Amino acid sequence: MYWNPSIERLPRKDLEEIQERKLKALIFYAYEYSPFYRRKFKEVGLNPWDFNGLRDLHKLPFTCKQDLRDNYPFGMFAVPLSQIVRFHASSGTTGKPTVVGYTKNDIDVWVECLCRALTSCGVTNNDIVQISYGYGLFTGGLGFHYAVERLGATVIPTSAGNTRRQIELMKDLHATVICCTPSYMLYLSEVAKEMGVDIANDTKLRMGIFGAEPWSEETRKRIEDKTGITAYDVYGTSELGGPLFTECVERHGIHVWADHYIIEVIDPKTGEQVGEGEKGELVVTTLSKEALPLIRWRTGDITYMESDKCACGRTHPRIMRILGRVDDMIIVRGVNVFPSQIEHVLMQVPELGEHYVIILDRKPDGLDEMTIQVELSEKAKIDRTTDILELERRVEELLKEYLNVRAKVEVVNPGTLQRFEGKAKRIIDRRKI
Ligand SMILES: [Zn+2]
C-alpha cells in the first residue's frame, strides 16, 4: 500500500535527478531571499552560479540550532510574514525558544510526507487514531492531526495528559491506532491496568506510532508484550517540519522522502561525512521548504543510514532508530554512552520495570560517578534485601560487559520514579551544579 506510488517507488537515479535540480534551486532561493544564507555564503566564498549540485553538497556550510537562536524570532525566514500561516516553537529548556514558520505549501508538504509514512506502516481510512501528542506549539499533535484527516481516517484529538480519560476514550471510541511518546505509552498501560482495562483484550488498539524521544528495541518489545499492539518508530523535528517519517511495515529503518529532503551522516567532531552504516550525526537539507529553508541542518540526533532498496518496494533511503542526541551523550570517565544504550541493557533484565533515571555526580576526588535508579518490575516477586542486592550486582555486571561503563545500580519499588506525559527526562546531571 502506497500513498504516492509513483514517487515512493521512483528509481534511485530519478530521485537523484530531482535532488540535483531542487538543490541548485534551493541555493539560488536562499541566496536571493534569506539574508542569513546570503551572509553565510559570502563568508565561505560560495557563489550560487558556481555551485555544482550534489557533488558540492559537502562544501556548503552547516546550519545549527544556535543560528536559529541568534536570529530569533524571524531572522532566518525567507518569506514575508504575510505568507506565514502558522508558527511552532520549541520548548526552550536550554535558553531561548526557537521559532519556526510555515507557508501554506510547507504545511501541504508536511502532510504529504506524513501521509506517505502512515500509509507505509499500514494506517488506512478505516482507522480511528488517538493523537496523544501535545497539541500546541509542539508539532506532534497538529502534525499528526492534519495527516490523519487527509488520509480520511478518524481523529480522536486527546492531546497529552488526563491519562484515565485517555483510556476511557480509547475503549469507548474504538481507537485502533495511538500516537504518543513511548514512555507515555508505557505509563498509559500502567494506568489502564489500575483501572482494570486490559489494552490487548478490552480495546481495539492494534498499532502505535511512537517518537519524540529516543527509545530502544527492547522497549518496543515491552510495549508490544504489555499491550498486544504493533509499535512503529517516527522521526521528525519542528525545524524540518514536524513528524514526517516513520518505519514501513518491514520495520527496518525509517524512510526519509528524498524528493523533499537530502540526508547525510557526519562525524559530529570533524564534520566529515561517514560511510553508509557508520554511526554519526544526522544532517538534513530541506528541498521544498519555503518559509524556513535549511541547508545542512545539524539535527543533533545520532543514527546511521542505509540506502539499499527496501523489501516494501520504496526506493527512498532509511535512517535507523535514533540512538541518542549528540548533547545527551554521557561522557563518564572518558567512555561515551547514550541513555538509549543503557535502556537497552536494563530492558533485557526481566525483573526490571521500564522506568529509570541516570544520575551523574562528581565525587570530592574529582572522579565522575554514574548511578542508575531503576524500578523493579510489577511482576518480579522479590522482597528480600539480599535478592535485591544480588540483582543490582548482576545489572552492574551487564552494564560493564555491554557498554564498558562502571555504574552503581539502585533498584527501587515500582511506581517510585517520576512519570512523564511528554518527553521523558532520563538524565540528572549534578556535575554542572
Ligand atoms: Zn520500506
Side-chain angles (χ1 to χ4, degrees):
M1 284 261 288
Y2 302 95
W3 176 255
N4 192 341
S6 55
I7 280 284
E8 290 174 54
R9 292 183 298 186
L10 200 67
R12 181 52 58 92
K13 187 175 61 61
D14 298 338
L15 273 179
E16 270 172 23
E17 257 169 49
I18 293 178
Q19 290 191 327
E20 198 74 73
R21 181 170 47 77
K22 289 179 86 167
L23 179 61
K24 285 179 186 161
L26 168 71
I27 298 306
F28 278 103
Y29 178 80
Y31 185 80
E32 185 68 26
Y33 296 108
S34 162
F36 167 79
Y37 277 117
R38 178 182 290 226
R39 202 168 60 236
K40 208 151 178 163
F41 290 173
K42 280 190 176 145
E43 274 167 24
V44 297
L46 178 89
N47 181 341
W49 283 267
D50 298 337
F51 180 72
N52 290 310
L54 286 173
R55 69 193 142 102
D56 279 354
L57 181 65
H58 69 280
K59 293 182 186 162
L60 295 171
F62 291 114
T63 311
C64 58
K65 196 108 182 163
Q66 194 58 41
D67 292 321
L68 271 178
R69 289 201 189 103
D70 292 347
N71 292 280
Y72 177 86
F74 309 136
M76 285 177 65
F77 285 16
V79 298
L81 288 180
S82 59
Q83 288 189 36
I84 302 281
V85 298
R86 197 195 299 167
F87 291 128
H88 279 286
S90 74
S91 49
T93 40
T94 51
K96 248 189 201 163
T98 51
V99 168
V100 293
Y102 301 78
T103 64
K104 190 180 169 297
N105 189 58
D106 290 339
I107 302 263
D108 286 345
V109 171
W110 178 5
V111 171
E112 160 75 18
C113 285
L114 194 51
C115 280
R116 289 185 201 172
L118 291 173
T119 307
S120 82
C121 63
V123 181
T124 73
N125 60 346
N126 293 319
D127 277 301
I128 298 177
V129 183
Q130 181 162 349
I131 300 175
S132 310
Y133 280 118
Y135 278 64
L137 289 169
F138 173 59
T139 50
L142 283 168
F144 273 99
H145 188 103
Y146 272 56
V148 170
E149 284 194 350
R150 179 77 59 89
L151 274 181
T154 312
V155 176
I156 312 175
T158 49
S159 192
N162 214 340
T163 306
R164 298 179 86 86
R165 182 130 186 270
Q166 298 250 6
I167 290 153
E168 276 166 22
L169 289 170
M170 178 193 291
K171 200 168 152 230
D172 297 347
L173 303 184
H174 301 174
T176 55
V177 178
I178 187 164
C179 310
C180 61
T181 59
S183 52
Y184 190 54
M185 187 65 218
L186 287 166
Y187 181 55
L188 270 169
S189 74
E190 274 181 15
V191 177
K193 206 170 154 213
E194 282 166 30
M195 292 166 68
V197 176
D198 174 8
I199 291 178
N201 294 307
D202 302 337
T203 75
K204 296 229 173 350
L205 205 66
R206 65 178 186 90
M207 181 200 289
I209 300 167
F210 305 115
E213 65 189 18
W215 56 307
S216 67
E217 271 312 302
E218 294 297 322
T219 299
R220 163 144 53 199
K221 281 199 203 90
R222 292 236 174 169
I223 290 175
E224 294 186 340
D225 289 348
K226 277 169 187 275
T227 60
I229 67 172
T230 309
Y232 290 91
D233 198 4
V234 56
Y235 183 74
T237 72
S238 63
E239 297 87 0
L240 300 178
L244 293 160
F245 317 117
T246 67
E247 289 174 315
C248 62
V249 285
E250 298 297 322
R251 299 206 292 176
H252 186 65
I254 294 173
H255 287 285
V256 175
W257 310 117
D259 51 329
H260 295 302
Y261 295 91
I262 297 176
I263 51 174
E264 305 166 75
V265 177
I266 62 157
D267 177 331
K269 286 196 193 81
T270 64
E272 299 288 325
Q273 290 180 352
V274 301
E276 183 147 332
E278 277 180 62
K279 283 174 200 149
E281 181 180 352
L282 179 67
V283 169
V284 184
T285 298
T286 66
L287 294 174
S288 308
K289 283 181 79 204
E290 295 173 341
L292 188 58
L294 291 171
I295 294 169
R296 303 193 85 199
W297 170 254
R298 294 187 68 152
T299 62
D301 290 317
I302 302 286
T303 183
Y304 62 95
M305 188 178 143
E306 260 182 36
S307 52
D308 314 339
K309 190 173 164 185
C310 181
C312 76
R314 289 175 182 80
T315 47
H316 297 244
R318 283 160 292 155
I319 51 166
M320 296 299 139
R321 183 180 280 291
I322 301 299
L323 294 163
R325 303 264 319 148
V326 175
D327 318 333
D328 282 351
M329 188 168 77
I330 306 169
I331 305 175
V332 182
R333 300 186 186 189
V335 180
N336 299 349
V337 55
F338 289 102
S340 60
Q341 293 178 292
I342 292 176
E343 177 179 302
H344 184 76
V345 173
L346 298 178
M347 296 302 129
Q348 289 175 33
V349 182
E351 294 96 325
L352 298 179
E354 289 78 33
H355 299 277
Y356 65 94
V357 61
I358 301 162
I359 302 162
L360 301 169
D361 277 306
R362 186 153 290 155
K363 293 199 297 182
D365 61 9
L367 280 178
D368 291 341
E369 192 174 48
M370 176 156 68
T371 307
I372 298 166
Q373 289 182 339
V374 56
E375 286 183 7
L376 198 60
S377 156
E378 299 262 2
K379 284 192 207 122
K381 299 272 177 272
I382 307 180
D383 38 25
R384 277 174 41 201
T385 317
T386 47
D387 293 342
I388 293 283
L389 287 175
E390 186 275 326
L391 175 62
E392 288 173 345
R393 291 301 86 73
R394 185 148 51 89
V395 180
E396 285 170 5
E397 285 294 314
L398 281 174
L399 287 164
K400 184 91 186 51
E401 194 181 312
Y402 281 97
L403 307 176
N404 198 26
V405 293
R406 203 179 288 282
K408 196 163 151 235
V409 173
E410 291 174 7
V411 175
V412 299
N413 284 325
T416 324
L417 299 176
Q418 198 188 338
R419 303 295 194 260
F420 299 90
E421 287 175 347
K423 298 184 191 195
K425 195 169 163 16
R426 303 287 194 195
I427 306 171
I428 301 171
D429 193 346
R430 296 183 187 140
R431 294 177 300 182
K432 290 169 195 154
I433 301 168

